[in-house]
Amino acid sequence: MQQGMNDKPVIAIVGGGFCGALTLAQLCRQSSIPLSIRLINKENPAGRGIAFSSYNASHLLNVAAAKMSAFPDDPGHFVKWVCDKPAYQQFHLENLGELFLPRVIYGHYLEELLEYQLKNLPAWIDVSIVSDEVIDITCTDKGNEVFLKNGSPFLADKVILATGNFVPANPSIVNKSFYEKGKAYFPDPWKENAVSDAAGCKHILIIGTGLTMVDNVLSLIEKGFEGKITAVSTKGFFPLSHKKTAPYTAMLPEMNASFPLVRLYHIFKKHIREVLAGGVTGEVVVDAVRPLTQEIWINLSLKEKKSFMQHLRHLWGVARHRLPADIHQRMTELMKQGKLEIVAGRLYDMEQVNGSLIKAGIRLRRSGELLHLEADRVINCTGPQMDIRKIDNDLIRNLISRGLLCPDEMYLGMQAFPDGTLVNAEAVPSNVLFTLGSNLKGILWESTAVPELRVQAKNLARMIISQLSDVPQERIVRSA
Ligand SMILES: Cc1cc2nc3c(=O)[nH]c(=O)nc-3n(C[C@H](O)[C@H](O)[C@H](O)COP(=O)(O)OP(=O)(O)OC[C@H]3O[C@@H](n4cnc5c(N)ncnc54)[C@H](O)[C@@H]3O)c2cc1C
């Protein structure tokens, strides 16, 4: 059984994307007590995670550089890092903060940040980064044991689930066996193989019309695909473009996070009407409400949350997740040329006709008619799977079956407190297991992008350090 070097409290971080890496950095920055930190990460390079391991430099950040600092108390950190890098001198512009830079550059930033942290550790902290998968965790009165797929198990005092984005769920269709043999079906839209070797294809169907669809369209075209792409989603919304606008402040005095959803909606709608009448786009109102969204969500009743999900979620998503203007322009041109078509409808069925052709049926939103398509390839861009009961992942399955983890009431992630303390199946808060990031979507709603995740990483590190500082060191249970 392993133990922390010199018998220090051990903190295990599961997942090394933005959330894992930044929680590690914050623990190192904030802790004045000895710690032994182990970050276990599978698949993507540590620091980058899924979002910032992008294989294509045309995949841009969807948040402007000025808002992408990894540290909430040092907002210029990312922009300064870019300015200090001769390799990125093409971006050394006066308006750098307003630019949407390639995600690979942000991945480089996170990787360097992690490297810097490891080279500059306080003497009382040791860190190890392990390429492996955590497949189970047990919490007994003998200790909390972390089991790895390949390495030896070890004991930890605190475990942080920074597991990030899970591969999208397969859309529900009539012919369920399709997914067992659909050779031209690509379930993971973040992997390069979804867009590789497509030059000979004539028609590609993308399920989903959000930002990941756009990434895939850009990559297909850059890789020489010259055919047609059809993208389908139930509402057929296409992402809006980021626009330069002054912050909208007129709504805030009328807003109160404790108002019922209906009242909030009316205030929101009134202001949308006002900005539209003034010739400004409605997104400024969405931006104005963002600092309050977590608080609003926490205050909503279950009925109101369900109502939001049913009636407003798609509209909110399209106004909230926007495209840099030049990418939006490229997409608009592709649509004008007939190379990209957005369809509003529900994927009804798919059938693999031969090794390389898929027949798909889409129930159209307006007419209810069934549209029949033939595609050489289908890419699933429906967004990360959030219902943890359905995630194909050993760790999540095992934690649920042990009763250590359960879904939140909306099935959008894990049951937890807003501070990231996980709650078990008997509604007891854990003093060992914590989470942050997309696992908290059901608790906070907005728990996705760097501006909110960096705050979570900082606060979670502070809470964990404070809990460990309160416990006399000899009472820390580590040996089985
Ligand atoms: C394609 C894409 C683009 C995005 N673009 C932006 C953007 O431009 N700006 C922005 O602010 N946000 C963006 N986001 C939101 C993004 O989710 C967050 O900004 C952030 O990167 C999430 O980091 P994370 O660490 O929570 O998750 P992830 O990046 O998903 O990292 C989680 C890591 O944990 C590993 N892992 C999971 N389970 C285990 C296990 N059992 N054992 C070991 N390792 C495990 C995974 O392999 C992965 O490496 C984007 C998201 C996606 C998917």
PDB file of all heavy atoms in Angstrom, residues 203-209 213 225 228-232 339-343 362 371 373:
ATOM      1  N   HIS A 203     -21.548  12.709 -48.787  1.00  0.00           N
ATOM      2  CA  HIS A 203     -22.534  13.317 -47.892  1.00  0.00           C
ATOM      3  C   HIS A 203     -22.242  12.868 -46.455  1.00  0.00           C
ATOM      4  O   HIS A 203     -22.086  11.680 -46.187  1.00  0.00           O
ATOM      5  CB  HIS A 203     -23.946  12.867 -48.306  1.00  0.00           C
ATOM      6  CG  HIS A 203     -25.019  13.552 -47.520  1.00  0.00           C
ATOM      7  ND1 HIS A 203     -26.278  13.059 -47.385  1.00  0.00           N
ATOM      8  CD2 HIS A 203     -25.011  14.712 -46.809  1.00  0.00           C
ATOM      9  CE1 HIS A 203     -27.009  13.869 -46.638  1.00  0.00           C
ATOM     10  NE2 HIS A 203     -26.247  14.874 -46.285  1.00  0.00           N
ATOM     11  N   ILE A 204     -22.161  13.843 -45.556  1.00  0.00           N
ATOM     12  CA  ILE A 204     -21.918  13.507 -44.141  1.00  0.00           C
ATOM     13  C   ILE A 204     -23.063  14.075 -43.307  1.00  0.00           C
ATOM     14  O   ILE A 204     -23.474  15.229 -43.497  1.00  0.00           O
ATOM     15  CB  ILE A 204     -20.551  14.063 -43.686  1.00  0.00           C
ATOM     16  CG1 ILE A 204     -19.439  13.270 -44.403  1.00  0.00           C
ATOM     17  CG2 ILE A 204     -20.394  13.951 -42.168  1.00  0.00           C
ATOM     18  CD1 ILE A 204     -18.036  13.662 -44.070  1.00  0.00           C
ATOM     19  N   LEU A 205     -23.566  13.230 -42.405  1.00  0.00           N
ATOM     20  CA  LEU A 205     -24.634  13.681 -41.507  1.00  0.00           C
ATOM     21  C   LEU A 205     -24.023  13.934 -40.131  1.00  0.00           C
ATOM     22  O   LEU A 205     -23.307  13.080 -39.591  1.00  0.00           O
ATOM     23  CB  LEU A 205     -25.713  12.584 -41.399  1.00  0.00           C
ATOM     24  CG  LEU A 205     -26.825  12.832 -40.384  1.00  0.00           C
ATOM     25  CD1 LEU A 205     -27.639  14.089 -40.736  1.00  0.00           C
ATOM     26  CD2 LEU A 205     -27.763  11.617 -40.305  1.00  0.00           C
ATOM     27  N   ILE A 206     -24.268  15.140 -39.609  1.00  0.00           N
ATOM     28  CA  ILE A 206     -23.813  15.453 -38.252  1.00  0.00           C
ATOM     29  C   ILE A 206     -25.053  15.598 -37.377  1.00  0.00           C
ATOM     30  O   ILE A 206     -25.985  16.328 -37.727  1.00  0.00           O
ATOM     31  CB  ILE A 206     -22.960  16.747 -38.234  1.00  0.00           C
ATOM     32  CG1 ILE A 206     -21.685  16.540 -39.067  1.00  0.00           C
ATOM     33  CG2 ILE A 206     -22.609  17.126 -36.796  1.00  0.00           C
ATOM     34  CD1 ILE A 206     -20.688  17.690 -39.017  1.00  0.00           C
ATOM     35  N   ILE A 207     -25.040  14.897 -36.260  1.00  0.00           N
ATOM     36  CA  ILE A 207     -26.176  15.014 -35.341  1.00  0.00           C
ATOM     37  C   ILE A 207     -25.780  16.049 -34.298  1.00  0.00           C
ATOM     38  O   ILE A 207     -24.796  15.868 -33.573  1.00  0.00           O
ATOM     39  CB  ILE A 207     -26.508  13.667 -34.668  1.00  0.00           C
ATOM     40  CG1 ILE A 207     -26.473  12.544 -35.707  1.00  0.00           C
ATOM     41  CG2 ILE A 207     -27.885  13.721 -34.001  1.00  0.00           C
ATOM     42  CD1 ILE A 207     -26.398  11.176 -35.079  1.00  0.00           C
ATOM     43  N   GLY A 208     -26.528  17.150 -34.254  1.00  0.00           N
ATOM     44  CA  GLY A 208     -26.163  18.274 -33.385  1.00  0.00           C
ATOM     45  C   GLY A 208     -25.821  19.477 -34.244  1.00  0.00           C
ATOM     46  O   GLY A 208     -25.228  19.324 -35.328  1.00  0.00           O
ATOM     47  N   THR A 209     -26.212  20.667 -33.775  1.00  0.00           N
ATOM     48  CA  THR A 209     -25.935  21.879 -34.568  1.00  0.00           C
ATOM     49  C   THR A 209     -25.225  22.942 -33.719  1.00  0.00           C
ATOM     50  O   THR A 209     -25.341  24.137 -33.977  1.00  0.00           O
ATOM     51  CB  THR A 209     -27.244  22.470 -35.153  1.00  0.00           C
ATOM     52  OG1 THR A 209     -28.126  22.772 -34.067  1.00  0.00           O
ATOM     53  CG2 THR A 209     -27.931  21.522 -36.100  1.00  0.00           C
ATOM     54  N   MET A 213     -20.321  20.742 -33.724  1.00  0.00           N
ATOM     55  CA  MET A 213     -20.649  20.530 -35.141  1.00  0.00           C
ATOM     56  C   MET A 213     -19.773  21.459 -35.991  1.00  0.00           C
ATOM     57  O   MET A 213     -19.182  21.040 -36.990  1.00  0.00           O
ATOM     58  CB  MET A 213     -22.146  20.829 -35.363  1.00  0.00           C
ATOM     59  CG  MET A 213     -22.640  20.725 -36.775  1.00  0.00           C
ATOM     60  SD  MET A 213     -22.404  22.203 -37.785  1.00  0.00           S
ATOM     61  CE  MET A 213     -23.591  23.343 -37.118  1.00  0.00           C
ATOM     62  N   PHE A 225     -12.618  17.465 -47.676  1.00  0.00           N
ATOM     63  CA  PHE A 225     -13.978  17.004 -47.964  1.00  0.00           C
ATOM     64  C   PHE A 225     -14.688  18.050 -48.824  1.00  0.00           C
ATOM     65  O   PHE A 225     -14.710  19.232 -48.478  1.00  0.00           O
ATOM     66  CB  PHE A 225     -14.731  16.787 -46.636  1.00  0.00           C
ATOM     67  CG  PHE A 225     -16.194  16.493 -46.811  1.00  0.00           C
ATOM     68  CD1 PHE A 225     -16.610  15.266 -47.311  1.00  0.00           C
ATOM     69  CD2 PHE A 225     -17.155  17.433 -46.486  1.00  0.00           C
ATOM     70  CE1 PHE A 225     -17.961  14.988 -47.485  1.00  0.00           C
ATOM     71  CE2 PHE A 225     -18.507  17.170 -46.651  1.00  0.00           C
ATOM     72  CZ  PHE A 225     -18.909  15.943 -47.152  1.00  0.00           C
ATOM     73  N   LYS A 228     -21.404  17.393 -49.307  1.00  0.00           N
ATOM     74  CA  LYS A 228     -22.390  18.168 -48.552  1.00  0.00           C
ATOM     75  C   LYS A 228     -22.486  17.644 -47.113  1.00  0.00           C
ATOM     76  O   LYS A 228     -22.363  16.439 -46.873  1.00  0.00           O
ATOM     77  CB  LYS A 228     -23.758  18.039 -49.239  1.00  0.00           C
ATOM     78  CG  LYS A 228     -24.816  18.806 -48.507  1.00  0.00           C
ATOM     79  CD  LYS A 228     -26.162  18.718 -49.171  1.00  0.00           C
ATOM     80  CE  LYS A 228     -27.179  19.301 -48.196  1.00  0.00           C
ATOM     81  NZ  LYS A 228     -28.522  19.280 -48.689  1.00  0.00           N
ATOM     82  N   ILE A 229     -22.700  18.586 -46.197  1.00  0.00           N
ATOM     83  CA  ILE A 229     -22.892  18.198 -44.794  1.00  0.00           C
ATOM     84  C   ILE A 229     -24.312  18.596 -44.403  1.00  0.00           C
ATOM     85  O   ILE A 229     -24.741  19.728 -44.637  1.00  0.00           O
ATOM     86  CB  ILE A 229     -21.884  18.934 -43.875  1.00  0.00           C
ATOM     87  CG1 ILE A 229     -20.457  18.529 -44.243  1.00  0.00           C
ATOM     88  CG2 ILE A 229     -22.181  18.622 -42.399  1.00  0.00           C
ATOM     89  CD1 ILE A 229     -19.381  19.410 -43.620  1.00  0.00           C
ATOM     90  N   THR A 230     -25.039  17.637 -43.820  1.00  0.00           N
ATOM     91  CA  THR A 230     -26.343  17.965 -43.237  1.00  0.00           C
ATOM     92  C   THR A 230     -26.182  17.860 -41.727  1.00  0.00           C
ATOM     93  O   THR A 230     -25.650  16.868 -41.229  1.00  0.00           O
ATOM     94  CB  THR A 230     -27.426  16.961 -43.698  1.00  0.00           C
ATOM     95  OG1 THR A 230     -27.478  16.997 -45.125  1.00  0.00           O
ATOM     96  CG2 THR A 230     -28.786  17.322 -43.127  1.00  0.00           C
ATOM     97  N   ALA A 231     -26.611  18.906 -41.028  1.00  0.00           N
ATOM     98  CA  ALA A 231     -26.547  18.869 -39.557  1.00  0.00           C
ATOM     99  C   ALA A 231     -27.970  18.976 -39.029  1.00  0.00           C
ATOM    100  O   ALA A 231     -28.727  19.856 -39.459  1.00  0.00           O
ATOM    101  CB  ALA A 231     -25.689  20.016 -39.032  1.00  0.00           C
ATOM    102  N   VAL A 232     -28.315  18.086 -38.110  1.00  0.00           N
ATOM    103  CA  VAL A 232     -29.697  18.056 -37.620  1.00  0.00           C
ATOM    104  C   VAL A 232     -29.751  18.233 -36.106  1.00  0.00           C
ATOM    105  O   VAL A 232     -28.894  17.723 -35.389  1.00  0.00           O
ATOM    106  CB  VAL A 232     -30.388  16.718 -38.035  1.00  0.00           C
ATOM    107  CG1 VAL A 232     -29.654  15.508 -37.463  1.00  0.00           C
ATOM    108  CG2 VAL A 232     -31.843  16.692 -37.596  1.00  0.00           C
ATOM    109  N   LYS A 339     -23.334  23.826 -49.167  1.00  0.00           N
ATOM    110  CA  LYS A 339     -22.435  22.766 -48.682  1.00  0.00           C
ATOM    111  C   LYS A 339     -22.770  22.345 -47.253  1.00  0.00           C
ATOM    112  O   LYS A 339     -22.329  21.299 -46.785  1.00  0.00           O
ATOM    113  CB  LYS A 339     -20.981  23.252 -48.742  1.00  0.00           C
ATOM    114  CG  LYS A 339     -20.485  23.394 -50.157  1.00  0.00           C
ATOM    115  CD  LYS A 339     -19.011  23.670 -50.183  1.00  0.00           C
ATOM    116  CE  LYS A 339     -18.512  23.627 -51.615  1.00  0.00           C
ATOM    117  NZ  LYS A 339     -17.152  24.077 -51.732  1.00  0.00           N
ATOM    118  N   LEU A 340     -23.485  23.226 -46.568  1.00  0.00           N
ATOM    119  CA  LEU A 340     -23.911  22.898 -45.196  1.00  0.00           C
ATOM    120  C   LEU A 340     -25.394  23.216 -45.087  1.00  0.00           C
ATOM    121  O   LEU A 340     -25.830  24.330 -45.408  1.00  0.00           O
ATOM    122  CB  LEU A 340     -23.110  23.734 -44.181  1.00  0.00           C
ATOM    123  CG  LEU A 340     -23.582  23.674 -42.727  1.00  0.00           C
ATOM    124  CD1 LEU A 340     -23.443  22.268 -42.155  1.00  0.00           C
ATOM    125  CD2 LEU A 340     -22.763  24.652 -41.853  1.00  0.00           C
ATOM    126  N   GLU A 341     -26.147  22.210 -44.642  1.00  0.00           N
ATOM    127  CA  GLU A 341     -27.598  22.449 -44.456  1.00  0.00           C
ATOM    128  C   GLU A 341     -27.960  22.117 -43.014  1.00  0.00           C
ATOM    129  O   GLU A 341     -27.534  21.087 -42.475  1.00  0.00           O
ATOM    130  CB  GLU A 341     -28.405  21.559 -45.405  1.00  0.00           C
ATOM    131  CG  GLU A 341     -29.885  21.875 -45.325  1.00  0.00           C
ATOM    132  CD  GLU A 341     -30.755  20.921 -46.153  1.00  0.00           C
ATOM    133  OE1 GLU A 341     -30.236  19.899 -46.639  1.00  0.00           O
ATOM    134  OE2 GLU A 341     -31.940  21.206 -46.297  1.00  0.00           O
ATOM    135  N   ILE A 342     -28.703  23.027 -42.395  1.00  0.00           N
ATOM    136  CA  ILE A 342     -29.158  22.789 -41.022  1.00  0.00           C
ATOM    137  C   ILE A 342     -30.621  22.350 -41.097  1.00  0.00           C
ATOM    138  O   ILE A 342     -31.440  23.029 -41.712  1.00  0.00           O
ATOM    139  CB  ILE A 342     -29.063  24.087 -40.168  1.00  0.00           C
ATOM    140  CG1 ILE A 342     -27.656  24.682 -40.224  1.00  0.00           C
ATOM    141  CG2 ILE A 342     -29.516  23.839 -38.738  1.00  0.00           C
ATOM    142  CD1 ILE A 342     -26.566  23.892 -39.545  1.00  0.00           C
ATOM    143  N   VAL A 343     -30.912  21.230 -40.468  1.00  0.00           N
ATOM    144  CA  VAL A 343     -32.266  20.683 -40.518  1.00  0.00           C
ATOM    145  C   VAL A 343     -32.835  20.633 -39.100  1.00  0.00           C
ATOM    146  O   VAL A 343     -32.157  20.199 -38.168  1.00  0.00           O
ATOM    147  CB  VAL A 343     -32.234  19.251 -41.122  1.00  0.00           C
ATOM    148  CG1 VAL A 343     -33.592  18.574 -41.016  1.00  0.00           C
ATOM    149  CG2 VAL A 343     -31.773  19.299 -42.569  1.00  0.00           C
ATOM    150  N   ILE A 362     -35.088  11.159 -40.635  1.00  0.00           N
ATOM    151  CA  ILE A 362     -35.221  12.290 -39.709  1.00  0.00           C
ATOM    152  C   ILE A 362     -36.684  12.744 -39.719  1.00  0.00           C
ATOM    153  O   ILE A 362     -37.241  13.020 -40.797  1.00  0.00           O
ATOM    154  CB  ILE A 362     -34.303  13.457 -40.139  1.00  0.00           C
ATOM    155  CG1 ILE A 362     -32.838  13.036 -40.002  1.00  0.00           C
ATOM    156  CG2 ILE A 362     -34.583  14.722 -39.319  1.00  0.00           C
ATOM    157  CD1 ILE A 362     -31.877  13.978 -40.690  1.00  0.00           C
ATOM    158  N   LEU A 371     -37.797  12.521 -43.365  1.00  0.00           N
ATOM    159  CA  LEU A 371     -36.818  12.827 -44.411  1.00  0.00           C
ATOM    160  C   LEU A 371     -35.826  11.664 -44.470  1.00  0.00           C
ATOM    161  O   LEU A 371     -35.236  11.301 -43.452  1.00  0.00           O
ATOM    162  CB  LEU A 371     -36.099  14.133 -44.048  1.00  0.00           C
ATOM    163  CG  LEU A 371     -34.877  14.520 -44.880  1.00  0.00           C
ATOM    164  CD1 LEU A 371     -35.302  14.959 -46.278  1.00  0.00           C
ATOM    165  CD2 LEU A 371     -34.102  15.652 -44.199  1.00  0.00           C
ATOM    166  N   LEU A 373     -32.307  10.118 -45.756  1.00  0.00           N
ATOM    167  CA  LEU A 373     -30.986  10.558 -46.237  1.00  0.00           C
ATOM    168  C   LEU A 373     -30.060   9.361 -46.367  1.00  0.00           C
ATOM    169  O   LEU A 373     -30.221   8.373 -45.649  1.00  0.00           O
ATOM    170  CB  LEU A 373     -30.317  11.474 -45.205  1.00  0.00           C
ATOM    171  CG  LEU A 373     -30.923  12.800 -44.821  1.00  0.00           C
ATOM    172  CD1 LEU A 373     -30.090  13.398 -43.692  1.00  0.00           C
ATOM    173  CD2 LEU A 373     -30.881  13.727 -46.021  1.00  0.00           C
TER     174      LEU A 373
END
